Amino acid sequence: MGARVDLGQLESRLNIEDYKKLQSIFLGTVDTPRSLSRTEFIEQAWSSIGRGSKEEYGLLFDSVVVTQEHRGLLLDSADVMGEGSIDWEGLSSFLLLELSEKAEHARARNVPRWKQPRTLTSPHRDPVQQVLYLRSSGKYLTVSKGGTLGLRAGEDLSLLQTHRLQNNSVRPKDLWVTDAVLLHNVHKIAVSFTSKEVCFYDLLSKQEFSCQYKLQGLKFVPWCLDYWADPSHPDLAVLTIGDTGGQVSAICFSSAQIALFERPSPGAEPESTDIVKWEELVQGKHRCCYTLTHRAHAQAWVRRVCFLGSLEAFASCSTSPQISMVIAWREKEVGSLRVTSFHTPRGIRDLDHHPGLNLIATAGVDHQVLLWNPYVISEPVGVLSGHTSSVTAVRFIQSKKQLLSYSKDKLLCLWDVSSQLCVHRLAGVFPKTQEDTHTLLFLHEERQHLLLSFNSLLFLLEARREEKRITSHEHPVTCVLYNSLFRQVVSSDSASSVVCWLADTGQKVKHFHRCHGNAEISTMALDSTQTRLFTAGTDGEVKVWDFNGHCHHRLNPGRGRSVDISQLLLLKRSILVMGWERMLTVFRLPSFSQFFVEPSEWKGGVQHRDHVLCAAFQSPQTLVTGDYDGEMTVWNSSTENALRKLQTHAQHGEHQTQLGGADLVSCGGSGVVRFWCARHGRLVGQFTAHNRELGSIVMTVSPCSKYLVTADAEGTLKTWDIQEYCLQPGGGLTDEPPKLVCSLRPHLDCVTHLETCIHGDRLLLLSASTDCSVALSYLPGGTVGVFGQEEHWRLEGLGPPHPEQEQGDGGQENSRHGASESLPTPPETHPDLGPHTPPEEGQRGVKPEGEEAGEEREMEIRVDIGEPLSSMHGHSPKGSRILGRSHKEGRCPRVIDGKPSHTDTPSNPDIAAKAAFDERSLFPKEILELEKRQREPWNLPEENTNLWERKQEGKNNQSTARGHGWKDR
């Protein structure tokens, strides 16, 4: 990945007059063009325009130089500063390119913000075959396989009335509709049946949906229909039919608004049905229309047909690999077609055409969405990868140059066509159905309605109206982390970008592009040294980076497949990856001697019935995993053996009074938060944090386990005080919620990730959202701002101090008095220490009985999970987090609850303060040197590893959360 210089908002604030003044400074005394050095440009531009700061003009100069020299270096790199010169031609070219890119990105950033999905009342018992929008009345019409019509209101899609189609050719129980299409210019609908007929029903007749024409004599069953009318000449129209015999037939009307077909006799009754034979059309007996046919698909069923009016061609597709898509071009001679064929590995289920871009999008059985130039048959011009199962539908959003695609695994993707990147992914909100469910996708662009059918079930997604918003990324944000070593915030988005921000001001520091190519970054993690960043992409890879943008390792959990990775969990000697299968994927320490790292076998095998989505770890060896069905399993992380399942309903018995308080919290798809005693495998408390209709929620717990923060799909954050919640052993199941401290809404759309951190003496909350923003808030309440906003903030002296630091010695004394029963925080520890606290003060505490004093902790005791789980008995946990508190039969807590120490940080704060600043890396030089000397043996030979372990065993009275850095290549 490469970093690029960010211009901020200077060029956006300049107007035409400012640009004229900027141009004048490059003209000499005789109006000859000249070049300016950095100092000359800053002084003259700043004094001439009188807008912006000198720093911004210096940044603009550096950006032009970097672009001209084709160097994607870090911001403020030393070899750029003070060198080079620019002229007006170079500056204007850079500004035009930059502004055009921003305009394109602004269009791509226009991602729909969906309202809460709704399941509509359905009158159908059979699968819905088609959804039509009646332009004349502004209503929707649904057609089912059994011939039932449902008329719906245009605004809220409420059911107005139902009707049953009549076809006297077959018995009602044998009626089978295959497709329907609206003939909008003549106020009719055409419906195809398995009886090899196409019936034309009049929408304006006295009798509702009376059959006016019936086309009979087709050789094969008509399977799909399409209708096109010339906007400038409504009499010219084309009805296209694709059948089960691989034939594509078209009826071209020349006077559609007068009559589609000629009536057999003048004396026929107006309301009677006219029978039209296909042979009559082929023989030209109807002068108002003629037919075109081809059988390029051989015997394969035609899945979709479409007439491309701008190209005068017919496009069709099938699931045959040999002839996946066919374009038949109309020749000047009436009745002739020129056919071209396109091939894909496993065939095509659906297609759509964008006239403005002249692109055809196809839904592949091989999980890929392909973009084709109709004139190029050799290969597609674009490949959109991101689906993990067969793609069933594609639809262009014509006005935004975007594409919607839907796959059988219930994943909806929104693609920016120009960049061929996925800008939005929606999953986990669709109803759970069987794999062979018939699914239909209908998009009404003007009303921003997206209707999906799952057999007879109708599902509505409606986009909210656009609101002015501040964005941090150009695409939906997927994850946010806090780097305590560099005091920066790290965020990722669906366009495979990673951005670093200064927590003190909200300024962007670095922007790394295309970390996983075109694949979305689904989650991230930092090692405990805070010098290595792990990114997981939907391409099935996990990459290990340093903060200079160098990739040190590539992990292959997907084994070459595109998979959805929901979480990375870093333990002391292994890395767990999960999200797409029922078993954990593990990478062990010895594997990191190579650049490409393959997974090892998880010894515990398969213990879940559905995909494992999240996990939490508690020292010394307790691991809890949760799956899509809401089932959670407790493991021994050392032996990798499953110990017990967590049961939703606690068993009340004589040993109930011996159970401890809560040490694990989980949440999920129904807005319910649950507290567990993981040691005994019992549920001890639960409450509804958000509206169940809002779907999945995410959560995080503050470092001291005092606050629980939850967030929903509407961008609302709630802070709960859980310091004394569910701590009394044997108290039974608690249904009462904890105290709600604060509720705020910093986002306009779904919150995807939450992270708490201690920055200086402030307890802060980071939140990421699909509205493309990363927000910073105080805990327990109060918003600081959004990263990327024009006005930078200053955290010094603002906001409430850390709540634990307000308690004096008296507060600590009071905590000790209740230690015999249950405590939220161990008395001998400092749970919320800052990142520069020496290990001997912040990382030591009372050890569990039987644990050696020198045993090291594995990572951090609290592990945040931010990916969705499905229901557990109707309630879906969204994630799990092990709390920093424990109770063992009424004894004093024995778990350490401190932030991980960083072995790379100098123990003497004066050294860190006086560290030389490296302009190239933005990191203190002493820190990098210490990190290099004190690196733990991820990449060392085996003999060096054993030697290092023996040295570590000799250190007494140390309990650290020390992580492992990777050796620079």
Side-chain angles (χ1 to χ4, degrees):
M1 57 182 175
R4 82 173 189 68
V5 179
D6 187 73
L7 280 185
Q9 302 293 326
L10 176 62
E11 73 277 12
S12 302
R13 301 197 303 268
L14 300 181
N15 54 34
I16 296 179
E17 295 300 324
D18 295 332
Y19 282 117
K20 289 181 178 179
K21 294 177 182 178
L22 197 61
Q23 182 184 17
S24 64
I25 69 174
F26 288 95
L27 298 177
T29 55
V30 292
D31 290 341
T32 56
R34 62 170 181 163
S35 299
L36 298 177
S37 65
R38 190 176 193 273
T39 304
E40 292 173 339
F41 175 78
I42 294 174
E43 291 296 333
Q44 296 186 33
W46 180 74
S47 59
S48 176
I49 296 176
R51 189 194 302 265
S53 63
K54 291 185 177 181
E55 290 77 9
E56 288 178 308
Y57 288 104
L59 181 58
L60 176 59
F61 181 93
D62 297 335
S63 301
V64 177
V65 172
V66 169
T67 303
Q68 290 176 337
E69 297 182 0
H70 304 287
R71 297 185 302 184
L73 301 179
L74 298 179
L75 184 65
D76 293 336
S77 53
D79 54 349
V80 172
M81 303 292 290
E83 291 186 6
S85 61
I86 62 173
D87 55 13
W88 172 246
E89 182 180 357
L91 176 62
S92 59
S93 300
F94 172 81
L95 290 173
L96 286 173
L97 179 62
E98 191 73 15
L99 292 174
S100 63
E101 287 182 356
K102 287 193 173 184
E104 288 292 331
H105 289 152
R107 287 194 292 268
R109 192 169 60 242
N110 192 9
V111 175
R113 296 181 297 107
W114 306 110
K115 295 181 180 179
Q116 180 61 29
R118 287 194 294 138
T119 301
L120 304 178
T121 303
S122 177
H124 307 293
R125 297 182 180 179
D126 303 309
V128 177
Q129 299 290 70
Q130 191 56 267
V131 179
L132 306 174
Y133 179 71
L134 309 180
R135 301 183 186 180
S136 57
S137 61
K139 299 175 182 178
Y140 292 92
L141 186 69
T142 57
V143 187
S144 71
K145 173 182 172 182
T148 302
L149 302 180
L151 190 64
R152 297 182 174 275
E155 293 296 332
D156 58 358
L157 279 89
S158 59
L159 184 63
L160 301 178
Q161 66 181 46
T162 60
H163 186 82
R164 185 170 177 83
L165 292 175
Q166 300 297 324
N167 187 353
N168 52 20
S169 301
V170 296
R171 293 177 297 177
K173 67 176 184 179
D174 295 330
L175 193 70
W176 186 337
V177 175
T178 59
D179 200 2
V181 68
L182 175 69
L183 283 61
H184 54 86
N185 62 328
V186 295
H187 306 289
K188 293 178 176 59
I189 61 170
V191 183
S192 57
F193 298 90
T194 53
S195 55
K196 300 180 182 179
E197 296 175 312
V198 178
C199 297
F200 297 81
Y201 296 91
D202 193 354
L203 301 178
L204 303 180
S205 63
K206 296 179 181 179
Q207 297 179 357
E208 291 183 339
F209 302 102
S210 63
C211 183
Q212 187 175 1
Y213 301 103
K214 183 180 292 186
L215 178 60
Q216 295 180 336
L218 297 173
K219 187 175 181 181
F220 302 100
V221 175
W223 194 252
C224 52
L225 302 175
D226 178 71
Y227 184 77
W228 173 86
D230 193 329
S232 57
H233 300 89
D235 277 333
L236 303 180
V238 178
L239 175 67
T240 312
I241 305 170
D243 59 36
T244 58
Q247 180 171 290
V248 175
S249 307
I251 305 175
C252 303
F253 302 100
S254 57
S255 57
Q257 290 188 316
I258 300 175
L260 293 177
F261 307 100
E262 294 184 1
R263 300 188 67 85
S265 61
E269 297 181 6
E271 298 297 331
S272 63
T273 302
D274 295 337
I275 304 299
V276 180
K277 296 293 185 180
W278 178 257
E279 284 297 326
E280 296 176 357
L281 297 179
V282 175
Q283 295 171 7
K285 293 184 178 181
H286 291 257
R287 290 174 295 179
C288 55
C289 61
Y290 64 94
T291 62
L292 297 170
T293 59
H294 74 78
R295 290 200 60 188
H297 289 285
Q299 300 298 322
W301 288 23
V302 180
R303 300 290 179 174
R304 177 78 193 280
V305 290
C306 180
F307 179 73
L308 314 181
S310 59
L311 301 178
E312 289 287 312
F314 301 90
S316 56
C317 64
S318 70
T319 53
S320 170
Q322 290 78 19
I323 308 176
S324 303
M325 182 174 67
V326 172
I327 297 181
W329 308 83
R330 292 175 65 174
E331 300 286 6
K332 292 183 179 180
E333 298 83 7
V334 177
S336 62
L337 294 173
R338 177 173 53 87
V339 175
T340 56
S341 300
F342 298 76
H343 309 280
T344 63
R346 297 176 59 185
I348 296 171
R349 292 186 179 271
D350 193 18
L351 60 84
D352 197 19
H353 179 243
H354 194 295
L357 300 175
N358 196 25
L359 288 176
I360 297 176
T362 58
V365 182
D366 59 351
H367 311 175
Q368 288 185 336
V369 177
L370 302 180
L371 299 176
W372 301 86
N373 184 327
Y375 300 101
V376 180
I377 65 174
S378 58
E379 61 182 11
V381 296
V383 179
L384 310 181
S385 301
H387 289 282
T388 56
S389 66
S390 176
V391 185
T392 59
V394 286
R395 290 294 180 273
F396 276 108
I397 302 179
Q398 304 284 340
S399 60
K400 299 180 181 180
K401 297 182 180 179
Q402 294 176 333
L403 177 70
L404 282 169
S405 62
Y406 183 81
S407 57
K408 292 185 69 174
D409 59 350
K410 296 183 178 60
L411 174 63
L412 181 71
C413 291
L414 178 65
W415 306 86
D416 173 43
V417 178
S418 58
S419 62
Q420 299 183 14
L421 295 177
C422 180
V423 296
H424 180 62
R425 292 162 59 92
L426 186 63
V429 300
F430 304 107
K432 197 170 185 179
T433 57
Q434 298 178 353
E435 290 187 2
D436 58 349
T437 301
H438 175 75
T439 305
L440 175 76
L441 185 145
F442 174 82
L443 172 68
H444 191 277
E445 194 169 335
E446 294 179 3
R447 292 184 180 269
Q448 295 185 319
H449 287 166
L450 182 64
L451 262 173
L452 295 100
S453 69
F454 302 90
N455 285 341
S456 61
L457 183 67
L458 289 171
F459 195 78
L460 173 65
L461 285 171
E462 183 178 1
R464 295 187 180 96
R465 297 189 180 275
E466 293 297 325
E467 301 177 34
K468 187 177 181 181
R469 53 181 176 169
I470 301 173
T471 58
S472 311
H473 286 247
E474 296 170 351
H475 301 86
V477 186
T478 57
C479 187
V480 60
L481 303 173
Y482 177 71
N483 190 314
S484 59
L485 181 62
F486 306 123
R487 299 169 64 86
Q488 294 177 1
V489 173
V490 185
S491 57
S492 63
D493 62 28
S494 60
S496 203
S497 295
V498 174
V499 180
C500 299
W501 313 85
L502 291 178
D504 287 317
T505 62
Q507 290 176 292
K508 184 187 292 188
V509 179
K510 300 179 184 177
H511 192 160
F512 302 108
H513 294 270
R514 297 176 60 83
C515 302
H516 288 259
N518 292 334
E520 172 186 336
I521 296 178
S522 57
T523 187
M524 299 189 299
L526 287 165
D527 72 342
S528 59
T529 69
Q530 309 282 286
T531 59
R532 293 293 180 265
L533 177 67
F534 292 70
T535 61
T538 55
D539 56 357
E541 284 193 344
V542 175
K543 297 184 179 181
V544 185
W545 309 87
D546 60 26
F547 281 85
N548 286 320
H550 177 64
C551 182
H552 292 261
H553 296 281
R554 291 177 63 177
L555 285 60
N556 184 27
R559 296 177 173 86
R561 298 177 295 129
S562 295
V563 296
D564 284 326
I565 300 174
S566 60
Q567 187 189 348
L568 303 171
L569 182 58
L570 277 64
L571 302 180
K572 183 178 179 181
R573 301 188 182 278
S574 61
I575 298 173
L576 303 182
V577 188
M578 64 209 74
W580 70 98
E581 59 185 5
R582 295 184 298 151
M583 186 169 63
L584 293 172
T585 300
V586 59
F587 294 86
R588 306 188 191 281
L589 171 64
S591 304
F592 285 82
S593 58
Q594 304 294 329
F595 178 75
F596 292 98
V597 184
E598 295 296 327
S600 303
E601 181 183 1
W602 178 253
K603 299 175 184 177
V606 177
Q607 296 293 334
H608 287 273
R609 292 176 295 182
D610 214 323
H611 296 171
V612 181
L613 296 186
C614 62
F617 176 77
Q618 186 178 38
S619 180
Q621 55 192 15
T622 302
L623 175 69
V624 184
T625 56
D627 65 20
Y628 187 86
D629 276 339
E631 183 182 73
M632 290 193 285
T633 303
V634 182
W635 306 77
N636 183 314
S637 62
S638 298
T639 63
E640 299 182 1
N641 292 328
L643 303 179
R644 66 186 72 90
K645 303 284 185 181
L646 296 187
Q647 304 174 4
T648 306
H649 301 288
Q651 299 176 358
H652 299 278
E654 58 180 358
H655 300 291
Q656 181 71 25
T657 58
Q658 299 180 2
L659 299 183
D663 56 3
L664 176 72
V665 59
S666 66
C667 67
S670 62
V672 176
V673 178
R674 291 189 174 90
F675 286 76
W676 306 81
C677 177
R679 173 182 174 82
H680 297 279
R682 295 292 186 270
L683 178 68
V684 296
Q686 62 181 6
F687 69 95
T688 302
H690 296 265
N691 190 337
R692 294 174 180 265
E693 296 181 355
L694 295 178
S696 298
I697 64 175
V698 294
M699 71 171 186
T700 187
V701 177
S702 67
C704 57
S705 296
K706 176 178 174 59
Y707 297 116
L708 167 72
V709 184
T710 58
D712 59 26
E714 290 187 339
T716 302
L717 274 60
K718 293 184 179 181
T719 304
W720 312 82
D721 188 346
I722 60 170
Q723 189 169 16
E724 301 291 338
Y725 189 70
C726 293
L727 287 181
Q728 299 299 327
L733 180 63
T734 301
D735 291 326
E736 293 294 325
K739 178 183 177 182
L740 179 61
V741 180
C742 179
S743 178
L744 54 98
R745 189 169 180 254
H747 300 284
L748 301 176
D749 208 342
C750 178
V751 178
T752 56
H753 195 261
L754 295 172
E755 176 94 351
T756 58
C757 63
I758 301 174
H759 186 78
D761 60 346
R762 310 292 173 189
L763 183 57
L764 302 177
L765 172 67
L766 298 165
S767 55
S769 171
T770 55
D771 66 359
C772 306
S773 67
V774 179
L776 180 66
S777 307
Y778 294 111
L779 273 183
T783 302
V784 178
V786 176
F787 289 94
Q789 66 184 35
E790 282 193 41
E791 185 178 355
H792 299 148
W793 59 74
R794 295 290 177 184
L795 286 182
E796 292 80 359
L798 298 178
H802 188 284
E804 291 298 316
Q805 297 181 4
E806 290 181 345
Q807 303 177 6
D809 295 335
Q812 294 292 340
E813 264 322 302
N814 293 336
S815 297
R816 290 188 179 94
H817 291 315
S820 60
E821 290 295 328
S822 59
L823 287 176
T825 306
E828 285 82 359
T829 64
H830 302 269
D832 273 333
L833 297 174
H836 298 295
T837 304
E840 59 270 22
E841 296 179 8
Q843 295 299 332
R844 294 180 184 176
V846 181
K847 304 292 291 182
E849 293 184 357
E851 183 178 351
E852 295 182 4
E855 185 176 352
E856 292 190 347
R857 294 175 58 198
E858 301 183 11
M859 294 299 293
E860 186 181 354
I861 197 169
R862 295 164 306 278
V863 184
D864 185 28
I865 315 299
E867 294 300 324
L869 289 161
S870 184
S871 63
M872 178 200 300
H873 305 296
H875 304 290
S876 342
K878 174 96 176 176
S880 303
R881 176 180 276 265
I882 293 183
L883 300 176
R885 55 193 189 187
S886 175
H887 305 276
K888 184 176 182 180
E889 299 179 0
R891 299 181 63 85
C892 183
R894 300 283 182 172
V895 76
I896 297 174
D897 186 24
K899 293 292 289 183
S901 66
H902 304 296
T903 58
D904 306 272
T905 307
S907 58
N908 186 355
D910 293 334
I911 296 178
K914 298 177 181 179
F917 193 78
D918 185 358
E919 293 287 343
R920 290 183 178 273
S921 65
L922 297 181
F923 304 144
K925 191 174 181 180
E926 277 80 1
I927 291 179
L928 297 179
E929 293 177 351
L930 281 172
E931 186 263 343
K932 202 169 186 178
R933 292 197 302 268
Q934 300 179 3
R935 190 184 321 276
E936 293 191 13
W938 285 90
N939 281 337
L940 298 181
E942 184 175 355
E943 58 270 23
N944 292 345
T945 302
N946 297 333
L947 176 62
W948 185 88
E949 291 177 349
R950 290 197 299 271
K951 292 181 179 179
Q952 288 296 103
E953 292 175 357
K955 298 181 179 180
N956 297 324
N957 300 325
Q958 290 187 359
S959 175
T960 65
R962 190 170 299 169
H964 311 281
W966 273 257
K967 184 176 181 180
D968 292 329
R969 288 180 171 271

